[in-house]
Amino acid sequence: MSHHDEITQTIIRNSNMVYRLAYSQMKNKTDADDIYQEVFYRYIRKKPCFDSAEHEKAWFIRVTFNCCKTSLKSFWKTKVCELDETFEDIKVEKEDLSFALKKLPKKYSAILYLYYYEDMSISEISRSLGIKGGNVGVLLSRARRKLKDILEKEDFI
């Protein structure tokens, strides 16, 4: 397999995860698209070598979170009001919790996303985000409570 094919396969393998994670943090399609492009630009530019599939996944998660944090701290995000995105055609089904995750603070939505959507263990989340395992457990518990409150308010449960 050529180096180009290897890069393409790595991008394909991580594409959905990076986009969903970016969307869960940025809460809109346009910003998620920007983060997605930035993450893969960094991957292509740095050409990191991964020891394992877990190392590869952890790298993409960390870079995605870092890009999101940087974007959210930018002057544009802190000083300019976002436009109402009601025009976006987002299909929400009862089983799809993305609408509720968007209402959670980012630290909670990130933990829930990694735990439930990416099937990561508490120790994997701890390593990926650089948070102590006990703190991940506490955040996960609080996130579940907050998610339940949102779902109750929306009459989903």
Side-chain angles (χ1 to χ4, degrees), residues 94-157:
K94 198 168 187 176
E95 305 81 50
D96 183 4
L97 297 179
S98 63
F99 78 94
L101 289 174
K102 288 171 66 173
K103 294 181 179 187
L104 289 172
K106 287 174 187 20
K107 64 182 176 183
Y108 296 134
S109 62
I111 298 286
L112 286 173
Y113 171 80
L114 294 174
Y115 190 78
Y116 290 107
Y117 287 83
E118 294 300 327
D119 294 323
M120 292 177 73
S121 68
I122 288 177
S123 62
E124 289 172 324
I125 295 169
S126 172
R127 283 192 305 274
S128 293
L129 299 181
I131 301 173
K132 291 181 182 176
N135 291 344
V136 172
V138 169
L139 289 171
L140 185 58
S141 177
R142 289 180 186 161
R144 286 179 183 138
R145 251 189 325 252
K146 289 189 178 293
L147 183 62
K148 183 179 178 208
D149 291 345
I150 290 168
L151 293 173
E152 285 173 347
K153 286 179 187 173
E154 300 287 333
D155 292 326
F156 274 88
I157 56 173

Side-chain angles (χ1 to χ4, degrees), residues 4-112:
H4 178 68
D5 291 340
E6 204 173 301
I7 289 172
T8 302
Q9 290 302 313
T10 301
I11 290 171
I12 290 169
R13 242 187 338 269
N14 292 284
S15 181
N16 288 336
M17 178 191 64
V18 167
Y19 185 80
R20 288 190 313 254
L21 188 54
Y23 189 85
S24 77
Q25 296 300 292
M26 302 309 293
K27 303 190 188 295
N28 70 71
K29 185 181 181 328
T30 304
D31 290 338
D33 289 343
D34 290 345
I35 297 299
Y36 177 89
Q37 289 177 4
E38 178 64 21
V39 168
F40 289 110
Y41 169 73
R42 288 182 185 193
Y43 167 69
I44 291 168
R45 189 181 70 214
K46 293 185 185 227
K47 299 176 187 111
C49 293
F50 303 113
D51 300 332
S52 64
E54 182 180 297
H55 180 224
E56 177 182 299
K57 185 175 184 177
W59 188 90
F60 279 101
I61 289 169
R62 179 158 314 260
V63 171
T64 303
F65 273 117
N66 288 342
C67 288
C68 289
K69 283 181 188 177
T70 300
S71 178
L72 291 167
K73 289 179 185 175
S74 74
F75 175 81
W76 181 256
K77 292 285 180 205
T78 58
K79 301 297 180 192
V80 176
C81 295
E82 288 188 25
L83 295 175
D84 183 6
E85 293 185 352
T86 55
F87 61 86
E88 281 190 20
D89 184 25
I90 298 174
K91 183 178 179 184
V92 177
E93 297 179 33
K94 198 168 187 176
E95 305 81 50
D96 183 4
L97 297 179
S98 63
F99 78 94
L101 289 174
K102 288 171 66 173
K103 294 181 179 187
L104 289 172
K106 287 174 187 20
K107 64 182 176 183
Y108 296 134
S109 62
I111 298 286
L112 286 173

